[in-house]
Amino acid sequence: MTTKLLLVRKLLPFISLGYTVVIIVLSLATISDISIIPDNNDKVNHAIAHFIFVGLWFLSFYFYLNKSKKQALKMAFISAFLFGIVIEILQHTLTESRQADYKDVIANVVGALIAVLIINLLTLSKVKND
């Protein structure tokens, strides 16, 4: 294994945590001019954010914590699901410019499920090719 790959594996949890903090800040920050963002685009952004969330945390759990693929996927998905709900609750309770929306949670779950599906497809094709 190359030195670069080892370094990336050691950095994965920090990259995942950093990404999580960025999502928290963006989710709780006051946005003064949200009228320029179309409503449907908001849900796509939620799905993309949770897609990336699952991907990063899957890699952290799988490579850094040496969890099995199944365990890492399950942990990443559950983390994304709970994280999305907590963010919505925090938006409702801590901010005046943001509001909780169950549609955001649905978009989060859709993004997370797509990530799980793609990770499964990528890892299955790798196994078949070996």
Side-chain angles (χ1 to χ4, degrees):
M1 191 173 302
T2 67
T3 305
K4 286 183 183 179
L5 189 54
L6 283 172
L7 179 62
V8 169
R9 284 184 175 195
K10 287 185 178 188
L11 290 176
L12 277 169
F14 300 105
I15 294 168
S16 300
L17 280 171
Y19 180 78
T20 302
V21 169
V22 167
I23 295 300
I24 292 169
V25 169
L26 291 175
S27 297
L28 300 178
T30 300
I31 298 179
S32 59
D33 194 340
I34 59 171
S35 63
I36 60 170
I37 302 172
D39 288 337
N40 294 337
N41 196 26
D42 173 58
K43 304 311 175 225
V44 172
N45 291 337
H46 277 266
I48 291 169
H50 279 72
F51 175 89
I52 295 168
F53 185 98
V54 168
L56 288 173
W57 281 106
F58 166 76
L59 292 172
S60 293
F61 296 140
Y62 186 73
F63 287 115
Y64 187 78
L65 295 180
N66 296 315
K67 298 293 181 184
S68 70
K69 181 185 111 174
K70 184 177 179 178
Q71 287 176 319
L73 271 176
K74 186 185 289 186
M75 291 170 69
F77 178 80
I78 291 170
S79 297
F81 178 71
L82 294 175
F83 178 71
I85 291 172
V86 168
I87 288 294
E88 292 303 315
I89 291 168
L90 292 176
Q91 284 180 337
H92 178 72
T93 57
L94 297 181
T95 69
E96 293 182 19
S97 64
R98 301 287 187 111
Q99 58 188 11
D101 185 357
Y102 74 91
K103 294 176 196 169
D104 289 346
V105 175
I106 293 170
N108 298 344
V109 169
V110 168
L113 285 172
I114 291 170
V116 168
L117 177 67
I118 289 174
I119 291 167
N120 271 321
L121 290 173
L122 290 173
T123 55
L124 283 177
S125 66
K126 181 182 178 195
V127 171
K128 288 181 181 180
N129 290 333
D130 287 341

PDB file of all heavy atoms in Angstrom, residues 2-24:
ATOM      1  N   THR A   2       0.532   2.202  -0.832  1.00  0.00           N
ATOM      2  CA  THR A   2       1.362   3.389  -0.951  1.00  0.00           C
ATOM      3  C   THR A   2       1.194   4.305   0.247  1.00  0.00           C
ATOM      4  O   THR A   2       0.194   4.237   0.979  1.00  0.00           O
ATOM      5  CB  THR A   2       1.002   4.169  -2.230  1.00  0.00           C
ATOM      6  OG1 THR A   2      -0.319   4.689  -2.083  1.00  0.00           O
ATOM      7  CG2 THR A   2       1.107   3.306  -3.463  1.00  0.00           C
ATOM      8  N   THR A   3       2.165   5.163   0.426  1.00  0.00           N
ATOM      9  CA  THR A   3       2.138   6.114   1.530  1.00  0.00           C
ATOM     10  C   THR A   3       0.956   7.066   1.394  1.00  0.00           C
ATOM     11  O   THR A   3       0.309   7.400   2.384  1.00  0.00           O
ATOM     12  CB  THR A   3       3.454   6.908   1.573  1.00  0.00           C
ATOM     13  OG1 THR A   3       4.539   5.983   1.628  1.00  0.00           O
ATOM     14  CG2 THR A   3       3.509   7.825   2.767  1.00  0.00           C
ATOM     15  N   LYS A   4       0.674   7.491   0.160  1.00  0.00           N
ATOM     16  CA  LYS A   4      -0.452   8.403  -0.058  1.00  0.00           C
ATOM     17  C   LYS A   4      -1.769   7.753   0.340  1.00  0.00           C
ATOM     18  O   LYS A   4      -2.619   8.390   0.965  1.00  0.00           O
ATOM     19  CB  LYS A   4      -0.514   8.840  -1.526  1.00  0.00           C
ATOM     20  CG  LYS A   4       0.544   9.821  -1.915  1.00  0.00           C
ATOM     21  CD  LYS A   4       0.363  10.239  -3.361  1.00  0.00           C
ATOM     22  CE  LYS A   4       1.482  11.173  -3.786  1.00  0.00           C
ATOM     23  NZ  LYS A   4       1.338  11.577  -5.186  1.00  0.00           N
ATOM     24  N   LEU A   5      -1.945   6.503  -0.018  1.00  0.00           N
ATOM     25  CA  LEU A   5      -3.174   5.805   0.325  1.00  0.00           C
ATOM     26  C   LEU A   5      -3.309   5.645   1.837  1.00  0.00           C
ATOM     27  O   LEU A   5      -4.397   5.813   2.397  1.00  0.00           O
ATOM     28  CB  LEU A   5      -3.227   4.440  -0.364  1.00  0.00           C
ATOM     29  CG  LEU A   5      -4.535   3.673  -0.278  1.00  0.00           C
ATOM     30  CD1 LEU A   5      -5.703   4.510  -0.775  1.00  0.00           C
ATOM     31  CD2 LEU A   5      -4.440   2.388  -1.062  1.00  0.00           C
ATOM     32  N   LEU A   6      -2.222   5.337   2.501  1.00  0.00           N
ATOM     33  CA  LEU A   6      -2.262   5.235   3.967  1.00  0.00           C
ATOM     34  C   LEU A   6      -2.624   6.571   4.600  1.00  0.00           C
ATOM     35  O   LEU A   6      -3.397   6.620   5.566  1.00  0.00           O
ATOM     36  CB  LEU A   6      -0.914   4.752   4.496  1.00  0.00           C
ATOM     37  CG  LEU A   6      -0.622   3.261   4.334  1.00  0.00           C
ATOM     38  CD1 LEU A   6       0.828   2.960   4.728  1.00  0.00           C
ATOM     39  CD2 LEU A   6      -1.571   2.433   5.170  1.00  0.00           C
ATOM     40  N   LEU A   7      -2.069   7.649   4.064  1.00  0.00           N
ATOM     41  CA  LEU A   7      -2.363   8.979   4.589  1.00  0.00           C
ATOM     42  C   LEU A   7      -3.844   9.312   4.405  1.00  0.00           C
ATOM     43  O   LEU A   7      -4.499   9.803   5.323  1.00  0.00           O
ATOM     44  CB  LEU A   7      -1.497  10.035   3.898  1.00  0.00           C
ATOM     45  CG  LEU A   7      -1.718  11.476   4.349  1.00  0.00           C
ATOM     46  CD1 LEU A   7      -1.394  11.639   5.831  1.00  0.00           C
ATOM     47  CD2 LEU A   7      -0.862  12.414   3.515  1.00  0.00           C
ATOM     48  N   VAL A   8      -4.383   9.003   3.225  1.00  0.00           N
ATOM     49  CA  VAL A   8      -5.801   9.260   2.966  1.00  0.00           C
ATOM     50  C   VAL A   8      -6.672   8.458   3.927  1.00  0.00           C
ATOM     51  O   VAL A   8      -7.638   8.976   4.484  1.00  0.00           O
ATOM     52  CB  VAL A   8      -6.158   8.944   1.494  1.00  0.00           C
ATOM     53  CG1 VAL A   8      -7.664   8.959   1.279  1.00  0.00           C
ATOM     54  CG2 VAL A   8      -5.487   9.938   0.556  1.00  0.00           C
ATOM     55  N   ARG A   9      -6.324   7.204   4.137  1.00  0.00           N
ATOM     56  CA  ARG A   9      -7.104   6.378   5.073  1.00  0.00           C
ATOM     57  C   ARG A   9      -7.086   6.954   6.481  1.00  0.00           C
ATOM     58  O   ARG A   9      -8.086   6.918   7.191  1.00  0.00           O
ATOM     59  CB  ARG A   9      -6.572   4.951   5.095  1.00  0.00           C
ATOM     60  CG  ARG A   9      -6.982   4.171   3.884  1.00  0.00           C
ATOM     61  CD  ARG A   9      -6.538   2.746   3.981  1.00  0.00           C
ATOM     62  NE  ARG A   9      -7.045   1.994   2.851  1.00  0.00           N
ATOM     63  CZ  ARG A   9      -7.071   0.682   2.785  1.00  0.00           C
ATOM     64  NH1 ARG A   9      -6.620  -0.034   3.794  1.00  0.00           N
ATOM     65  NH2 ARG A   9      -7.553   0.085   1.729  1.00  0.00           N
ATOM     66  N   LYS A  10      -5.950   7.498   6.893  1.00  0.00           N
ATOM     67  CA  LYS A  10      -5.863   8.087   8.233  1.00  0.00           C
ATOM     68  C   LYS A  10      -6.631   9.400   8.319  1.00  0.00           C
ATOM     69  O   LYS A  10      -7.108   9.773   9.385  1.00  0.00           O
ATOM     70  CB  LYS A  10      -4.397   8.298   8.617  1.00  0.00           C
ATOM     71  CG  LYS A  10      -3.687   7.016   8.938  1.00  0.00           C
ATOM     72  CD  LYS A  10      -2.280   7.255   9.420  1.00  0.00           C
ATOM     73  CE  LYS A  10      -1.626   5.924   9.766  1.00  0.00           C
ATOM     74  NZ  LYS A  10      -0.334   6.079  10.401  1.00  0.00           N
ATOM     75  N   LEU A  11      -6.734  10.098   7.195  1.00  0.00           N
ATOM     76  CA  LEU A  11      -7.422  11.384   7.185  1.00  0.00           C
ATOM     77  C   LEU A  11      -8.936  11.269   6.997  1.00  0.00           C
ATOM     78  O   LEU A  11      -9.659  12.235   7.230  1.00  0.00           O
ATOM     79  CB  LEU A  11      -6.845  12.277   6.076  1.00  0.00           C
ATOM     80  CG  LEU A  11      -5.435  12.796   6.296  1.00  0.00           C
ATOM     81  CD1 LEU A  11      -4.962  13.580   5.078  1.00  0.00           C
ATOM     82  CD2 LEU A  11      -5.359  13.659   7.539  1.00  0.00           C
ATOM     83  N   LEU A  12      -9.415  10.118   6.564  1.00  0.00           N
ATOM     84  CA  LEU A  12     -10.840   9.955   6.261  1.00  0.00           C
ATOM     85  C   LEU A  12     -11.776  10.414   7.381  1.00  0.00           C
ATOM     86  O   LEU A  12     -12.734  11.147   7.114  1.00  0.00           O
ATOM     87  CB  LEU A  12     -11.144   8.507   5.883  1.00  0.00           C
ATOM     88  CG  LEU A  12     -10.869   8.137   4.438  1.00  0.00           C
ATOM     89  CD1 LEU A  12     -10.959   6.626   4.254  1.00  0.00           C
ATOM     90  CD2 LEU A  12     -11.813   8.846   3.497  1.00  0.00           C
ATOM     91  N   PRO A  13     -11.551  10.029   8.630  1.00  0.00           N
ATOM     92  CA  PRO A  13     -12.477  10.494   9.678  1.00  0.00           C
ATOM     93  C   PRO A  13     -12.468  12.015   9.826  1.00  0.00           C
ATOM     94  O   PRO A  13     -13.514  12.617  10.069  1.00  0.00           O
ATOM     95  CB  PRO A  13     -11.962   9.829  10.960  1.00  0.00           C
ATOM     96  CG  PRO A  13     -11.078   8.740  10.511  1.00  0.00           C
ATOM     97  CD  PRO A  13     -10.563   9.104   9.164  1.00  0.00           C
ATOM     98  N   PHE A  14     -11.320  12.639   9.631  1.00  0.00           N
ATOM     99  CA  PHE A  14     -11.233  14.095   9.756  1.00  0.00           C
ATOM    100  C   PHE A  14     -11.926  14.785   8.585  1.00  0.00           C
ATOM    101  O   PHE A  14     -12.576  15.813   8.758  1.00  0.00           O
ATOM    102  CB  PHE A  14      -9.771  14.526   9.871  1.00  0.00           C
ATOM    103  CG  PHE A  14      -9.082  13.924  11.062  1.00  0.00           C
ATOM    104  CD1 PHE A  14      -8.188  12.880  10.901  1.00  0.00           C
ATOM    105  CD2 PHE A  14      -9.354  14.368  12.343  1.00  0.00           C
ATOM    106  CE1 PHE A  14      -7.563  12.297  11.997  1.00  0.00           C
ATOM    107  CE2 PHE A  14      -8.741  13.796  13.448  1.00  0.00           C
ATOM    108  CZ  PHE A  14      -7.845  12.753  13.273  1.00  0.00           C
ATOM    109  N   ILE A  15     -11.802  14.195   7.403  1.00  0.00           N
ATOM    110  CA  ILE A  15     -12.503  14.723   6.234  1.00  0.00           C
ATOM    111  C   ILE A  15     -14.008  14.587   6.445  1.00  0.00           C
ATOM    112  O   ILE A  15     -14.777  15.525   6.192  1.00  0.00           O
ATOM    113  CB  ILE A  15     -12.045  13.990   4.951  1.00  0.00           C
ATOM    114  CG1 ILE A  15     -10.572  14.293   4.664  1.00  0.00           C
ATOM    115  CG2 ILE A  15     -12.920  14.362   3.757  1.00  0.00           C
ATOM    116  CD1 ILE A  15      -9.938  13.402   3.603  1.00  0.00           C
ATOM    117  N   SER A  16     -14.436  13.431   6.936  1.00  0.00           N
ATOM    118  CA  SER A  16     -15.859  13.204   7.193  1.00  0.00           C
ATOM    119  C   SER A  16     -16.389  14.152   8.260  1.00  0.00           C
ATOM    120  O   SER A  16     -17.480  14.727   8.110  1.00  0.00           O
ATOM    121  CB  SER A  16     -16.088  11.752   7.615  1.00  0.00           C
ATOM    122  OG  SER A  16     -15.673  10.872   6.602  1.00  0.00           O
ATOM    123  N   LEU A  17     -15.645  14.317   9.337  1.00  0.00           N
ATOM    124  CA  LEU A  17     -16.053  15.253  10.394  1.00  0.00           C
ATOM    125  C   LEU A  17     -16.102  16.682   9.871  1.00  0.00           C
ATOM    126  O   LEU A  17     -17.035  17.434  10.184  1.00  0.00           O
ATOM    127  CB  LEU A  17     -15.103  15.165  11.584  1.00  0.00           C
ATOM    128  CG  LEU A  17     -15.326  14.013  12.534  1.00  0.00           C
ATOM    129  CD1 LEU A  17     -14.180  13.903  13.545  1.00  0.00           C
ATOM    130  CD2 LEU A  17     -16.648  14.145  13.265  1.00  0.00           C
ATOM    131  N   GLY A  18     -15.101  17.067   9.090  1.00  0.00           N
ATOM    132  CA  GLY A  18     -15.073  18.410   8.509  1.00  0.00           C
ATOM    133  C   GLY A  18     -16.283  18.659   7.633  1.00  0.00           C
ATOM    134  O   GLY A  18     -16.924  19.717   7.707  1.00  0.00           O
ATOM    135  N   TYR A  19     -16.610  17.684   6.797  1.00  0.00           N
ATOM    136  CA  TYR A  19     -17.782  17.804   5.940  1.00  0.00           C
ATOM    137  C   TYR A  19     -19.050  17.933   6.784  1.00  0.00           C
ATOM    138  O   TYR A  19     -19.924  18.762   6.490  1.00  0.00           O
ATOM    139  CB  TYR A  19     -17.892  16.589   5.001  1.00  0.00           C
ATOM    140  CG  TYR A  19     -19.077  16.656   4.087  1.00  0.00           C
ATOM    141  CD1 TYR A  19     -19.056  17.473   2.957  1.00  0.00           C
ATOM    142  CD2 TYR A  19     -20.232  15.933   4.357  1.00  0.00           C
ATOM    143  CE1 TYR A  19     -20.159  17.555   2.124  1.00  0.00           C
ATOM    144  CE2 TYR A  19     -21.331  16.005   3.525  1.00  0.00           C
ATOM    145  CZ  TYR A  19     -21.291  16.818   2.412  1.00  0.00           C
ATOM    146  OH  TYR A  19     -22.379  16.911   1.583  1.00  0.00           O
ATOM    147  N   THR A  20     -19.140  17.153   7.836  1.00  0.00           N
ATOM    148  CA  THR A  20     -20.305  17.195   8.721  1.00  0.00           C
ATOM    149  C   THR A  20     -20.441  18.572   9.361  1.00  0.00           C
ATOM    150  O   THR A  20     -21.547  19.131   9.422  1.00  0.00           O
ATOM    151  CB  THR A  20     -20.201  16.097   9.795  1.00  0.00           C
ATOM    152  OG1 THR A  20     -20.086  14.820   9.139  1.00  0.00           O
ATOM    153  CG2 THR A  20     -21.403  16.089  10.720  1.00  0.00           C
ATOM    154  N   VAL A  21     -19.343  19.137   9.805  1.00  0.00           N
ATOM    155  CA  VAL A  21     -19.367  20.480  10.408  1.00  0.00           C
ATOM    156  C   VAL A  21     -19.810  21.522   9.382  1.00  0.00           C
ATOM    157  O   VAL A  21     -20.615  22.410   9.694  1.00  0.00           O
ATOM    158  CB  VAL A  21     -17.995  20.835  11.025  1.00  0.00           C
ATOM    159  CG1 VAL A  21     -17.922  22.303  11.407  1.00  0.00           C
ATOM    160  CG2 VAL A  21     -17.704  19.951  12.223  1.00  0.00           C
ATOM    161  N   VAL A  22     -19.317  21.412   8.164  1.00  0.00           N
ATOM    162  CA  VAL A  22     -19.723  22.349   7.106  1.00  0.00           C
ATOM    163  C   VAL A  22     -21.228  22.266   6.878  1.00  0.00           C
ATOM    164  O   VAL A  22     -21.905  23.295   6.762  1.00  0.00           O
ATOM    165  CB  VAL A  22     -18.939  22.088   5.797  1.00  0.00           C
ATOM    166  CG1 VAL A  22     -19.552  22.830   4.623  1.00  0.00           C
ATOM    167  CG2 VAL A  22     -17.477  22.476   5.973  1.00  0.00           C
ATOM    168  N   ILE A  23     -21.767  21.061   6.835  1.00  0.00           N
ATOM    169  CA  ILE A  23     -23.211  20.893   6.648  1.00  0.00           C
ATOM    170  C   ILE A  23     -23.984  21.503   7.816  1.00  0.00           C
ATOM    171  O   ILE A  23     -25.012  22.162   7.618  1.00  0.00           O
ATOM    172  CB  ILE A  23     -23.583  19.399   6.472  1.00  0.00           C
ATOM    173  CG1 ILE A  23     -22.969  18.843   5.188  1.00  0.00           C
ATOM    174  CG2 ILE A  23     -25.101  19.202   6.465  1.00  0.00           C
ATOM    175  CD1 ILE A  23     -23.404  19.544   3.925  1.00  0.00           C
ATOM    176  N   ILE A  24     -23.494  21.312   9.024  1.00  0.00           N
ATOM    177  CA  ILE A  24     -24.152  21.902  10.194  1.00  0.00           C
ATOM    178  C   ILE A  24     -24.176  23.421  10.083  1.00  0.00           C
ATOM    179  O   ILE A  24     -25.223  24.057  10.266  1.00  0.00           O
ATOM    180  CB  ILE A  24     -23.460  21.464  11.509  1.00  0.00           C
ATOM    181  CG1 ILE A  24     -23.680  19.974  11.758  1.00  0.00           C
ATOM    182  CG2 ILE A  24     -23.962  22.291  12.694  1.00  0.00           C
ATOM    183  CD1 ILE A  24     -22.828  19.396  12.869  1.00  0.00           C
TER     184      ILE A  24
END
